[in-house]
Amino acid sequence: MIDNSTEIALSLQGISKIYGPSCPACIQKTGPEMGTNICPECGSIVACADISLDLHAGEILGIVGESGSGKSTLVKCLYFDLEPTYGEAYLSYYGNGRLNIFSETSQKKRYIRNHIMGIVYQNPHMGLRMNFSCGGNVAEKLLTADCYHLGKIRHRASELLTKTEVPVARMDDLPRNFSGGMQQRVQIAKAMANNPPILLLDEVTTGLDVSVQAKVLDLIKSLQWELGISMLVVSHDLGVVRLLTNRTAVMKNGRIVEIGLTDQILEDPQHVYTQLLINSLL
């Protein structure tokens, strides 16, 4: 449960995702100390285990780690793309922060997805319907959030595409005809359509040219500054984390090994893995 006096937007408590039969050894015999996320007893893969953290209102929190560390799995659990094996999550914007969203019905989970959260995936094909127009993609999000007025939908789509620097003249074009960077901007516009208080960003700059990366990151930063959205940013790129985030959590073999202010994490890392990660990327 969230203590609303602390202005916590999202609280995660003991979230684990295990692929396989699962057994007591899954948690005990995997992790950074064991050097593996594969259970030696039953062969299950522990994608993430016992993840607990708070995202404060208006904060950008980074989650960084190498490929396979479990960071994207965590985000997909939060957006209900995956079902966690264990754990609880509470939103201050839902049930006064007293209801574990993972225990809610499918209908209520859809409400949370459509009204409270937005997500931008690494691959735009996961977040966009490539056979729908750009405006149609934004309209889809608005329709699921119970906005049915055609004029308002067109106006909102035009407003968001302008804000994300997608030419309004191309509102009726298909995203499949756009560059990767432009597709990401359309995906951001769609994710923001219903003014979600929480935005999840999963490796949004991976695969983009450096110049395009910079523009996308500037866009995200300006939107957060303007609208005060709470953001969870998943990345393996420390440059992205340095530019965007206030605090950072470092993951290894499905566990958080270190969490703190981003500047402190990058300048004076305490955990051995964090030190290796930063040194390898300098």
Side-chain angles (χ1 to χ4, degrees), residues 28-209:
Q28 299 168 3
K29 297 186 178 181
T30 62
E33 293 79 11
M34 303 298 177
T36 183
N37 63 349
I38 301 175
C39 177
E41 300 291 334
C42 68
S44 296
I45 298 173
V46 183
C48 60
D50 198 26
I51 303 298
S52 298
L53 56 81
D54 292 331
L55 173 66
H56 297 273
E59 179 185 33
I60 304 182
L61 174 64
I63 301 179
V64 68
E66 61 193 2
S67 179
S69 61
K71 54 193 189 299
S72 290
T73 296
L74 177 63
V75 167
K76 288 174 182 175
C77 285
L78 290 177
Y79 202 63
F80 308 117
D81 289 336
L82 297 173
E83 184 176 350
T85 308
Y86 310 109
E88 302 174 355
Y90 299 90
L91 293 164
S92 64
Y93 312 97
Y94 181 77
N96 293 317
R98 294 183 172 87
L99 299 174
N100 174 18
I101 61 174
F102 295 137
S103 298
E104 295 297 88
T105 64
S106 296
Q107 182 180 7
K108 290 180 178 178
K109 287 177 180 177
R110 281 195 299 272
Y111 174 86
I112 293 168
R113 278 175 63 119
N114 296 334
H115 291 81
I116 299 175
M117 289 188 182
I119 191 168
V120 181
Y121 295 98
Q122 174 181 343
N123 185 344
H125 287 258
M126 292 183 64
L128 296 174
R129 294 184 183 269
M130 292 298 171
N131 292 322
F132 282 20
S133 67
C134 295
N137 272 280
V138 176
E140 180 187 30
K141 185 69 172 180
L142 289 169
L143 288 168
T144 59
D146 304 324
C147 177
Y148 303 111
H149 189 283
L150 181 59
K152 290 181 179 179
I153 289 173
R154 290 286 294 186
H155 175 75
R156 180 64 173 158
S158 175
E159 177 184 54
L160 283 166
L161 293 174
T162 299
K163 197 177 293 266
T164 54
E165 299 183 1
V166 177
V168 176
R170 302 197 67 181
M171 182 190 295
D172 297 319
D173 289 359
L174 301 179
R176 69 184 182 192
N177 298 326
F178 286 5
S179 67
M182 193 73 81
Q183 288 175 352
Q184 283 296 51
R185 293 182 195 178
V186 175
Q187 198 186 175
I188 292 170
K190 179 178 181 178
M192 305 254 329
N194 60 331
N195 285 322
I198 294 177
L199 192 60
L200 309 173
L201 305 175
D202 187 9
E203 300 278 16
V204 294
T205 60
T206 300
L208 300 179
D209 293 338

